[in-house]
Every structure is written in C-alpha cells, then in structure tokens.
Amino acid sequence: MLNHPSPPTRQCLLLSLLLLVCACNKATCFLGEGKKIWKQPNPDHFIKNQSFLYDTFPSGFLWGSGTSAFQTEGAWDQEGKGPSIWDHYTHSTIRNKVSTETADVASDSYARWEEDVEALEYLGVRSYSFSLSWPRLFPDGNATGLPNRAAVEHYSRLIERLLEKKIEPIITLYHWDLPQVLQERYGGWKNDTMVGLFEQYAAFCFHAFGSRVRYWLTMHNPYLVAVQGYGTGVHAPGETGGPAGSLMVAHNLIRAHAKAWHTYNTHFRPAQKGKVSIVSGSHWVEPRRGAATAANVELCQQSMEAVLGWFANPIFSDGDYPLSLKIKYGALLPTFSPEEKLWVQGTADFFALSFGPNNLRLGRSLVQYGQTVTPDLRRILGWIKLEYGNPAVLVTEGGWFTEASVGKEDTVAIYLTKRFINQVLQAIKFDAVQVIGYSAWSLVDGFEWNYGFSVRRGLFYIDFSQSNRPRTPKTSAQYYRRVIADNGFPIEETSSDIKGRFPCEFHWGIADSTLQVLSYPFSPQFTDPQLYTWNVTGDGSLRPVPGIKMPTRRAMCTDYLAIRGHLRLFASTGASHYRFALNWSLLLPQGDLSNVNTEALRYYRCVLTELKKLNLKPVVILYYPTHRAPNLGIPGPLHASGGWLNYSTVEAFQKYAGLCYQQLGPWVTYWITINEPNRLVDFYFSEKEKHQAAHNLLLAHAKAWRLYEREHFSQHGALVSLALHADWAKPANPFLDSHTAAAQRFLLFELGRFLDPLLGISHEEKHSKGDYPQEMKEYLEERARVMGLPRSSLPSFTEAEREELRGLGQAVVPWGLRKLLNWVSQRYGGALSIIVTATGVDDQAPVEDRLRQHFLRSYLQEALKARQLDKVNLQGFYIWKLQDGHAPQFGLFTSTHHKSKAKASIAVYNNIITPVMLATLVIFVIYTKRNQTQGRRRGVKRRRKIEGVPVCLCPPLKC
C-alpha cells in the first residue's frame, strides 16, 4: 500500500496547498496552453516552410544511444537471474502476442557488453541510456533482501567502463521486465503494493550505483505498460483488463514513480546531486485537413491528453489527470487525494520523451473525425513547451524501424534519423524549446517486443544466426556518427563574402507558360459598321440609324486591352526578358498547315510588337507540353496518330516551327523549341516508349534548329535552344557507392541524354557528338542482359541524324543551383552559355511572400557564386512566374480575381535589378547553398570603387 504522509508532513503539504491557491504554480499556469500550437499562425511564414535547417546544436548537447535490458541482454536464466514477465510471456502460448520468438539470447549484451561500449565509442556519443534488469538484480523481486551479486558487479563494470570512455550513463530502473514472481504474487502493477516494492528497488539502485550516475529514469513509457500490458494484452503480462485495468495500472505506475523520486530527493540528491525523471511516450496529431477550428483543436488536445497528458499532467502540471480523461472515463478513473496531488506534482527534474513507432501506431486508434497522426517531433516538443512551462527536455528514444530483411544498408533509416534530429534542431532554434539531448534508438538490433526479430531498430546490425552475435555498423550508424562529429548539420559549403556583378547583357527575366489568347478586342468601335444615335429620348440608349453603314477596320493591337494590362504588370517588375509559350494546338488545330489560325497568330504578333515598344525582349517557346492540356499540348490529330512515338510528329513540328519563324521571327531574339522534354517523357508508361519519345523530341529540336539556321538566322539572327528541367541529385545513402553511381546516372538520364547528343562532352573529340552518353548506353545494355533481353530499348541515331544533332550551340537549364550549373559547365565546357529560364517557389502568403523573397536572394547569390567563383558562363536568370492563376501560388502578382496586387517579392527583385545612380554591385554571399531556413538578410552596401571589378553603365545589382 502507498504510505501516506505523516501528520507533520501533512501540515507542510497543506501549507503548500494554501500557497498554491495564493500564487499560481508555474506548471499549473500553463495547463491547456498546448492548444495554441494548433491555433496561432506561425510567427515566421518562410521559416515554417523550410524543409531542412543547416545549423548546429548548443555546446554540450547530450548525444546518445540507448537499449533496454530485456531486448538486448539475453542470458535470461544465467548467473542467478530470475524470470521476468516478458520471459514468461514469450515462453507461453498466450494468443495475443504476434511473435513466437523469444529473447533468451537476443543480442547477448550481458556477455558482450564490452562490444556495445566499443560501438558507442565508434559513434562518438556522450551518453548511453540503458536499463537495469529488476529480475536480474532481485530474482524474487524483493529489494530488501540480498541482491544478485553477479548482476551488481555486471552493471558496475558497465558504468565504470562508460565513465572511463567519458560516456554519461543514463539509467532506467524499469523498462517493462517486471519479475514474474511479483506478477504471480500480487497481480503485477494492478496492485498498489507494487508502489512500495518499486520504491525499495529504486532505493537500492540509487545506493548501489548513484554515486556514479547523474541521470535516472524511473520507468520507460508507462503508457504502453498500462495499455498494451494490462489493457489489450499485446505486451507482457498479456492481460486484457480493458480500460479499467489500464487506468488502475497507470495510477500505480505514477505513484510508484513519485515515491521513487521523493526517495531520491530526500535521501540521495544532497550527496549525489543527480536528476530523476520518467520517460513519457507520445504520438503527434494534426487537425482534419489542417483546419484549426476550435472543435478540431479541442479534439487534437484531447488526443494528446489521452496519451502524453495521462502521465505528464499529474507530474508536470497540477498533480491530477486531464479533465478530458475524467469526462471520458468517469468513475473508472482512479483519483488523487488533494495531498497526493501535491505529492505527485513536480516529481521530475526534466522532461524525458520517447518518440518512436510504438506510440504512433497506437495513436492512430485515438484520432477522431479525420485527424492525422504524423511523426513530427518538432511539433510535439513545441506542445510540451507550451503545455508544461518550457521544461528541459531529453529525447530518450528517437528513431524508427526497418524490416529485418533490410540489413546493413538502411537508407530509409538514414532519412528518418536526419528528419527527426533536424526537427529537434528546429525546435531549439526556431521555437526556443530547451532540448538538452537526443538518444538514437537503439544501439544494436534486438528483440522488438511483440514483433520479435521481424523488425530492426539498431544502429548496429546483429546477425542473430551467429552465436557470437557480431556487431556491424549500419549506414545509419555511419550517418549518426557524422552528425555527432559535426554537432548537427553545419553549413555545407563556406566561402568568404564576395563582391561582384552580373554582366551588363545578363537576362533578368520572368517566365510564364502558354500565353492565353484573348482574340476579341475590347472595343467594337471600328468593327461594327452601324451608326448610332445616343440619348435622343433621354434614356441614355443607343439607337441604330437605319440605312447608313460606316467603313470598318480590323482590330488593332492597341484594342486588346488584356495585352496592355498584362505587359504593364510585367514592365513594372523591372525585368528585361519575358519568356512565354505559343499554343501549338491553337495555331494548327489539324497539326499541319492546311488550317492556320491567323487570328491567334495576329494576337501573338501584337504581344511581340507591344513588347518591342516597351524595349523588352521576348523569349518564345514553340511547344510547352503539359498534362493539364488535352493531348499533351500537341494538336489532336498528331496525338491520335501516336504523338511523340511517331516520327511524323517530328516532321510536323518542323513545319510548325517554320511557320512561327516566318510569321513572328522579326520580333523574336530567343527561341526555345521544346520546354522540358525530359519531363514530358515521364508521361509515357513503358521504358521503350520513354526512350522513343525522348529520341523523337531530340530529332524535332534538331530539325527546328537546323531550319532556323538555314533559312532565318541570316535575316533575324535569333538564338535557338531547348529548355531542360534540372534537379540536382544527391545520393540517398552517401555511404554506398551504388547510390553515388545512381545519383550520377540520374543526371545523365535527366540532362545527359538530351545534351550529350547536341553538345558532346568537353573532353571528347568533335566526332563523338550526336549520340547518347556512353555511361547511359552501357547501363541500359547491362540491364537488358540481366533481364534476358537481346538489347536495350534505347533507339540509335542514324549517321544522318547524328550529323544533324551535332553542335547545336546553346543550352538552357532551368531550376539549377550552383552544383548543377557546375556539373553542366564541367561536362560540356566552360564556354557554354547557360540560362536559368524558370525558377520559383510556392508561397501561399497572399502579399507578404517572405519565403519567395528569401528564395530570390538565396538563389541569386548562388548564381553569382557560380559565375564569379566557379567561372560558369551563366547568362540569365528568370523568375517563375508573373501572376497567380489558381494554386499553387508562384506568381509575383495575385490573380486577376484578387485585383492583380503586387506581392512584396516584386520590390526585392526590382531593387536587385533596377539601376540606382551608378552604384557598383555588392553581394554578400551567404555561407551555404541551402541557407533558406536561416532567413538571414544582408544589407545593401554601396562603394564608389571596388578593386578588380570593372564599372559599366548597366543596371547595378543590390542584395
């Protein structure tokens, strides 16, 4: 039974209660404040939208890893150990368990603990979280008797070795392996006798090991003990007592923790000066469809209170259960007396959090009305700060699982490790949560409770088929080791601040997709032959005059007010080049020259002439494929006959290009034949179709390029190219050569398959142009051989086609960053002109688009580094796009429905590219290619003279 306070102590408690009435306790004052995390808008919109933060953790951050005794020790009946409830459970025939395997040997860490310490040294951690086995120390469960000397010596050796290696031991007293004798004698945690027995066990551990231990955890994730052990029976001891059983067990676990804490606080803290807490586990939940209505927020709060709040509220808040649990369970929920509330309240020196798959699986059963359970560690840390008054937090379990078959190359585990740790970093840097450490779970593969050995969670791989249980670092261990060595995620690249300018002829552009043709003029004044009288009868009406017809004329370009309004928006940005696309299907509905839409041609001509009047340069795309348009944007008859799988489309495209060159050529200085052909091929299903479509797209570009060179270049002198979608690829697993090769192969398939045939490779002879990358051909041939095919499905070029492809001049690579620009420049030669024809970011902010502002600054700074430091011949930079249509919100202006309002990013872009007197460009280069998440702003600095930088009279740049 719980020993209630003695009369003198009771008087002190009552006095404390009186003081609490007079002055609000800190934790109590924050009760329910966690709701704000769903209600309040994020204070910094563009920071919230960053997916990754490059920064480091505070000095002294407690990097660690952890294990539990039952999962890893093995030696279940050796050297005096008694059986635990989990030993009994795994050896029994209880139907509720998923796995029929046992942990009799598990990872054999009881015998191979020195190898575990070596694994910790490999990682470079500063702490090791492990649990003591109660039935190993006291086989009969009675901590007032003599302990098992072999067990005491084992744990003492482990602690001493850790301290020798400067690794902080973090010890958990109870990680679910209750002595079986206590379950049989008392019914386990259902009986409140366990409160006193646990206090005796804790007191022994504090006495035996406490002089060498600074961090104690009384029990690990009691929620799972109560619910899965005594409610559903999925965990040991396998009891199915339902909510009533779980509630009583949870009540006793909380009181047992509190009693152990008070024992340490009274008898051991003065000399040992350690800290004690309890590990609370939880999921995270977001409102239905992200809608933070009052009702949705309340449901989310209740979901969190049903798990984390169940145990954390009594300890970190007001000493009692959340109101939502009282309403839900009524008389089933045990109660704390006023004295017990004060006695339980505040019995933790820091907040210990477990965040892993076990709680998230259970969390899905707690959501209601469309809520979403998500593994968002940053958000739950923010909730803890708001709900419990910003306590210091130690993440004692962070990690996920992989299937047992994955082995040592656990790429997904690297991704999740990176994600969780970065979420912790964001919580520290952006939300000011006091996270003091992170323990990656777990150190070695072990017995995963009801899942047995079917899943793995270790950083070190263990071959359970070998008796010596060798430990081998997985790639996730190598990654975690790097994170620890770097103390987080330092900036990837560093360089000194540089001063520089883009050249005078640099393209400052804005990119749009297919330009909508609004061919009906605004005013019918010169197209209607009728003569009218007005207001003759005083009613303001127009009345036609019978018998009189006036001469008419065709609508003029100035009659199309839509053009003038659109270009007025464009001109206000200060950009010099406007990239837009023609509508092939509209101009040639039948796909050939038998039916030319002359009105659409005339409209495009009007756009081009108006641009010329404004002294603006057009960049015109002949073919802008899109899955939103019918037939991938090509005329219907061509699509019906096979589209880009049929060579006839190549010939039809050449004729279409010829029409555009002839009709619009005098006003166009830059032509793009095809926009993103490498994305278009993704719409085809089979590998053979993808290769054939890419082949014909290349030939179509080549024929259009050669046609312009033969018949139009001498007259108009425009440049012709194609635009490729370009993403930089990094190895998913940087520790595997196969992933590094895959990243390179990705770039070859994305860019090389289109650029190699046109440009060749800078280190090869001229005669090598006109063909696909050799590496790509060899890879596809090998794949075909492995699959038992006679040859790869990659088409080959005829000699005539090779000749037509060779040396087709310029390359336009949109959406590139510095590394990508360098890759293109190095592969195809530094003399190659490169233009970034479209780059943008979705920013949902209606006007104050801070994310886009930061994006523009960061990417332009990277463009400058590519030009000035890497000598990449970058000739232009285009922003996507001019105006919003519908979502996503990429535009510099809001949609016409929202009155075409200018967003704040226009001022940023305009300020960069607009001349102000003759100030010379000064750009302060930030320290990283991906520094969006830091949101640093650099001020404008002007200098009359900068050494080594020629001054020209073109528009200066300011960042």
Side-chain angles (χ1 to χ4, degrees):
M1 295 294 290
L2 174 65
N3 296 324
H4 289 288
S6 60
T9 306
R10 182 173 299 176
Q11 293 172 4
C12 294
L13 290 174
L14 291 175
L15 176 61
S16 299
L17 180 61
L18 181 61
L19 291 174
L20 281 173
V21 173
C22 299
C24 177
N25 174 274
K26 178 183 176 183
T28 307
C29 287
F30 287 94
L31 188 62
E33 291 293 293
K35 294 179 184 179
K36 290 182 179 178
I37 200 165
W38 295 289
K39 291 180 179 179
Q40 62 190 14
N42 194 285
D44 202 330
H45 183 267
F46 83 88
I47 284 178
K48 175 68 176 71
N49 280 274
Q50 303 315 301
S51 60
F52 200 82
L53 171 63
Y54 287 96
D55 206 340
T56 54
F57 283 81
S59 175
F61 190 76
L62 208 58
W63 294 105
S65 187
T67 58
S68 78
F70 179 77
Q71 290 181 279
T72 59
E73 281 187 352
W76 79 284
D77 60 353
Q78 297 177 23
E79 295 196 346
K81 178 184 175 295
S84 71
I85 56 174
W86 270 97
D87 290 318
H88 178 76
Y89 184 71
T90 55
H91 290 138
S92 71
T93 57
I94 297 174
R95 294 182 178 180
N96 289 334
K97 61 183 180 180
V98 175
S99 172
T100 58
E101 299 163 312
T102 71
D104 293 357
V105 180
S107 316
D108 202 19
S109 285
Y110 183 74
R112 305 183 187 282
W113 62 272
E114 291 175 295
E115 296 173 40
D116 288 346
V117 175
E118 290 173 2
L120 293 165
E121 283 190 281
Y122 172 88
L123 294 173
V125 296
R126 296 184 59 239
S127 69
Y128 178 42
S129 176
F130 64 96
S131 71
L132 306 176
S133 171
W134 190 348
R136 190 178 296 282
L137 286 164
F138 294 98
D140 62 357
N142 181 11
T144 61
L146 292 176
N148 177 4
R149 182 53 51 190
V152 175
E153 291 174 355
H154 166 74
Y155 291 123
S156 290
R157 285 193 300 268
L158 175 57
I159 292 169
E160 290 295 338
R161 183 66 59 84
L162 291 172
L163 294 174
E164 286 175 15
K165 303 297 183 181
K166 301 188 185 310
I167 299 172
E168 190 86 51
I170 300 175
I171 295 183
T172 302
L173 295 174
Y174 179 66
H175 198 129
W176 309 355
D177 51 347
L178 185 72
Q180 175 64 18
V181 64
L182 299 183
Q183 180 65 32
E184 293 173 356
R185 185 175 301 164
Y186 301 109
W189 288 105
K190 293 181 298 182
N191 193 320
D192 65 359
T193 303
M194 288 299 305
V195 176
L197 293 173
F198 182 76
E199 185 272 337
Q200 294 165 1
Y201 164 61
F204 169 83
C205 295
F206 296 150
H207 174 78
F209 309 115
S211 62
R212 296 163 289 174
V213 177
R214 291 198 304 159
Y215 295 96
W216 291 96
L217 302 168
T218 55
M219 51 190 67
H220 185 90
N221 205 344
Y223 173 85
L224 294 178
V225 176
V227 173
Q228 302 226 104
Y230 292 87
T232 64
V234 174
H235 281 188
E239 297 200 0
T240 54
S246 296
L247 293 167
M248 179 54 68
V249 166
H251 198 67
N252 289 331
L253 288 167
I254 293 170
R255 294 195 296 172
H257 155 78
K259 194 168 181 66
W261 185 90
H262 280 290
T263 295
Y264 186 87
N265 194 54
T266 302
H267 301 294
F268 297 97
R269 190 190 303 276
Q272 296 179 1
K273 303 187 185 307
K275 296 183 178 182
V276 181
S277 188
I278 181 173
V279 179
S280 299
S282 188
H283 62 305
W284 180 249
V285 65
E286 292 289 350
R288 180 187 183 188
R289 298 177 183 173
T293 63
N296 283 347
V297 166
E298 187 59 38
L299 289 171
C300 289
Q301 180 76 0
Q302 290 175 15
S303 180
M304 296 301 296
E305 290 174 349
V307 182
L308 189 57
W310 186 0
F311 294 86
N313 265 49
I315 297 167
F316 292 93
S317 186
D318 61 353
D320 202 0
Y321 296 117
L323 178 61
S324 59
L325 262 67
K326 294 180 179 180
I327 295 172
K328 180 178 180 179
Y329 293 114
L332 277 181
L333 185 67
T335 59
F336 293 110
S337 68
E339 296 170 359
E340 285 179 318
K341 290 178 184 179
L342 288 174
W343 181 71
V344 169
Q345 185 184 34
T347 55
D349 303 315
F350 57 93
F351 198 107
L353 175 67
S354 166
F355 191 75
N358 293 318
N359 271 95
L360 271 93
R361 289 189 188 107
L362 283 182
R364 293 189 180 97
S365 65
L366 299 171
V367 298
Q368 304 177 57
Y369 309 112
Q371 295 164 309
T372 304
V373 174
T374 62
D376 195 327
L377 188 46
R378 176 185 175 184
R379 295 278 277 171
I380 193 171
L381 289 169
W383 186 86
I384 290 169
K385 175 190 174 182
L386 292 171
E387 188 75 9
Y388 301 118
N390 197 19
V393 181
L394 176 64
V395 180
T396 57
E397 178 187 355
W400 209 247
F401 68 92
T402 58
E403 299 299 326
S405 58
V406 170
K408 303 164 194 172
E409 299 178 356
D410 53 344
T411 302
V412 175
I414 289 179
Y415 167 76
L416 291 171
T417 298
K418 182 178 182 179
R419 176 179 176 179
F420 290 150
I421 295 175
N422 200 256
Q423 287 174 347
V424 174
L425 181 62
Q426 292 180 42
I428 294 171
K429 298 293 183 177
F430 296 153
D431 310 325
V433 182
Q434 299 184 74
V435 185
I436 61 174
Y438 180 91
S439 184
W441 198 272
S442 64
L443 178 64
V444 295
D445 289 333
F447 182 85
E448 291 301 328
W449 309 112
N450 50 306
Y451 292 93
F453 297 107
S454 64
V455 298
R456 295 177 179 268
R457 294 192 64 190
L459 293 167
F460 283 77
Y461 177 85
I462 290 185
D463 186 345
F464 294 106
S465 67
Q466 296 190 35
S467 60
N468 63 344
R469 299 295 199 266
R471 279 105 165 105
T472 306
K474 301 178 185 178
T475 52
S476 58
Q478 298 176 57
Y479 179 76
Y480 188 48
R481 180 190 190 188
R482 178 189 293 178
V483 171
I484 294 171
D486 293 339
N487 197 34
F489 309 95
I491 292 165
E492 286 189 326
E493 298 176 6
T494 60
S495 63
S496 301
D497 293 348
I498 66 169
K499 303 172 183 179
R501 65 162 60 237
F502 291 95
C504 299
E505 67 277 9
F506 197 77
H507 293 206
W508 294 110
I510 294 176
D512 268 338
S513 56
T514 304
L515 193 65
Q516 186 178 3
V517 174
L518 303 172
S519 57
Y520 189 77
F522 177 78
S523 172
Q525 180 178 0
F526 298 106
T527 58
D528 184 354
Q530 189 67 55
L531 179 67
Y532 295 87
T533 59
W534 173 70
N535 202 30
V536 172
T537 58
D539 58 358
S541 61
L542 288 171
R543 299 179 183 276
V545 178
I548 299 178
K549 298 293 182 181
M550 304 294 292
T552 61
R553 66 158 175 82
R554 297 181 63 186
M556 301 182 69
C557 290
T558 52
D559 295 332
Y560 296 105
L561 297 187
I563 294 176
R564 297 172 65 186
H566 189 74
L567 296 185
R568 191 180 299 115
L569 287 184
F570 174 80
S572 69
T573 66
S576 57
H577 291 68
Y578 182 41
R579 196 211 76 170
F580 65 90
L582 308 177
N583 189 330
W584 184 5
S585 298
L586 180 65
L587 288 171
L588 299 180
Q590 300 304 314
D592 56 28
L593 301 181
S594 64
N595 181 11
V596 178
N597 187 335
T598 55
E599 285 302 311
L601 264 177
R602 186 165 179 271
Y603 186 87
Y604 288 134
R605 197 179 297 118
C606 285
V607 173
L608 293 170
T609 55
E610 291 301 309
L611 281 169
K612 186 174 183 178
K613 290 177 184 178
L614 296 170
N615 198 28
L616 300 172
K617 303 287 187 181
V619 179
V620 178
I621 300 172
L622 293 173
Y623 172 46
Y624 191 95
T626 171
H627 66 280
R628 294 177 181 172
N631 311 322
L632 299 179
I634 65 175
L638 295 180
H639 186 267
S641 64
W644 290 110
L645 301 179
N646 192 328
Y647 185 77
S648 63
T649 302
V650 175
E651 297 171 325
F653 181 75
Q654 184 185 35
K655 294 176 182 177
Y656 162 63
L659 172 70
C660 296
Y661 295 155
Q662 183 183 47
Q663 295 294 321
L664 306 176
W667 300 277
V668 179
T669 50
Y670 298 94
W671 292 98
I672 293 176
T673 56
I674 303 167
N675 189 68
E676 299 186 4
N678 50 346
R679 286 284 69 79
L680 174 60
V681 299
D682 292 339
F683 295 127
Y684 292 90
F685 296 104
S686 70
E687 183 178 273
K688 183 177 180 180
E689 287 185 345
K690 291 177 188 291
H691 291 323
Q692 188 61 56
H695 195 77
N696 286 337
L697 285 162
L698 263 172
L699 293 176
H701 163 75
K703 285 185 174 295
W705 195 96
R706 293 295 182 192
L707 176 65
Y708 191 89
E709 182 186 45
R710 287 195 309 267
E711 300 181 12
H712 302 278
F713 181 77
S714 60
Q715 183 179 1
H716 304 305
L719 299 178
V720 182
S721 187
L722 82 166
L724 297 175
H725 181 103
D727 292 315
W728 178 248
K730 296 176 65 175
N733 190 328
F735 305 100
L736 297 178
D737 292 340
S738 60
H739 284 226
T740 301
Q744 286 298 312
R745 192 162 56 245
F746 168 81
L747 292 171
L748 290 175
F749 274 77
E750 276 285 280
L751 303 177
R753 86 152 99 186
F754 289 92
L755 293 181
D756 273 30
L758 304 179
L759 305 171
I761 304 176
S762 62
H763 57 78
E764 292 185 347
E765 298 297 328
K766 182 178 179 180
H767 70 270
S768 68
K769 296 178 182 178
D771 205 355
Y772 294 115
Q774 185 63 29
E775 307 96 317
M776 177 181 173
K777 292 195 295 182
E778 291 173 356
Y779 171 75
L780 291 175
E781 287 293 343
E782 177 62 19
R783 276 191 60 191
R785 186 189 66 76
V786 170
M787 296 172 67
L789 301 174
R791 61 184 298 274
S792 82
S793 56
L794 184 69
S796 58
F797 294 108
T798 66
E799 189 54 41
E801 289 171 341
R802 287 173 188 258
E803 190 62 35
E804 195 163 44
L805 287 165
R806 287 173 186 160
L808 299 192
Q810 307 80 30
V812 186
V813 183
W815 300 348
L817 297 173
R818 184 181 176 187
K819 286 184 177 180
L820 184 62
L821 294 172
N822 271 277
W823 186 89
V824 174
S825 181
Q826 291 166 11
R827 186 171 180 87
Y828 303 110
L832 179 69
S833 298
I834 304 173
I835 299 174
V836 178
T837 63
T839 181
V841 64
D842 177 14
D843 190 334
Q844 297 291 326
V847 176
E848 292 298 324
D849 51 349
R850 299 190 64 194
L851 173 59
R852 184 175 293 105
Q853 295 174 54
H854 184 74
F855 178 90
L856 289 175
R857 291 190 180 99
S858 299
Y859 275 55
L860 280 169
Q861 288 164 347
E862 287 306 309
L864 180 68
K865 281 203 280 188
R867 267 195 63 87
Q868 187 142 322
L869 300 180
D870 309 328
K871 309 305 179 187
V872 175
N873 189 15
L874 183 64
Q875 294 294 327
F877 190 94
Y878 289 61
I879 302 301
W880 174 266
K881 62 180 185 167
L882 184 62
Q883 190 169 18
D884 291 339
H886 303 288
Q889 308 298 325
F890 281 88
L892 294 171
F893 290 87
T894 63
S895 65
T896 53
H897 178 71
H898 292 93
K899 301 181 180 179
S900 301
K901 294 178 182 176
K903 299 181 184 178
S905 56
I906 289 182
V908 172
Y909 191 49
N910 187 272
N911 193 43
I912 290 172
I913 65 179
T914 300
V916 179
M917 300 176 62
L918 295 179
T920 305
L921 160 69
V922 177
I923 290 188
F924 285 85
V925 177
I926 53 179
Y927 287 107
T928 175
K929 173 175 75 66
R930 302 265 327 262
N931 203 24
Q932 290 179 193
T933 50
Q934 301 201 34
R936 297 177 181 169
R937 298 192 176 195
R938 303 294 186 182
V940 176
K941 293 192 177 181
R942 298 176 184 171
R943 300 288 186 267
R944 293 186 178 180
K945 180 180 179 182
I946 295 178
E947 292 183 6
V949 180
V951 177
C952 64
L953 299 182
C954 62
L957 231 68
K958 309 175 297 302
C959 280

Coordinates of all heavy atoms in Angstrom, one line a residue, residues 50 550 848:
Q50 N 10.5 25.9 -44.6 CA 11.7 25.3 -44.9 C 11.7 23.9 -44.5 O 11.3 23.5 -43.4 CB 12.9 26.0 -44.2 CG 13.0 27.5 -44.5 CD 12.8 27.8 -46.0 OE1 13.5 27.3 -46.8 NE2 11.7 28.5 -46.3
M550 N -21.1 52.4 -92.0 CA -19.8 53.1 -91.9 C -18.7 52.1 -92.3 O -18.8 50.9 -92.1 CB -19.6 53.6 -90.5 CG -20.7 54.5 -89.9 SD -20.8 56.1 -90.8 CE -19.2 56.8 -90.3
E848 N 2.5 39.4 -48.5 CA 3.8 39.4 -47.9 C 4.5 38.0 -48.0 O 4.6 37.2 -47.1 CB 3.7 39.8 -46.4 CG 3.2 41.2 -46.2 CD 4.2 42.2 -46.7 OE1 5.5 41.9 -46.6 OE2 3.8 43.3 -47.2

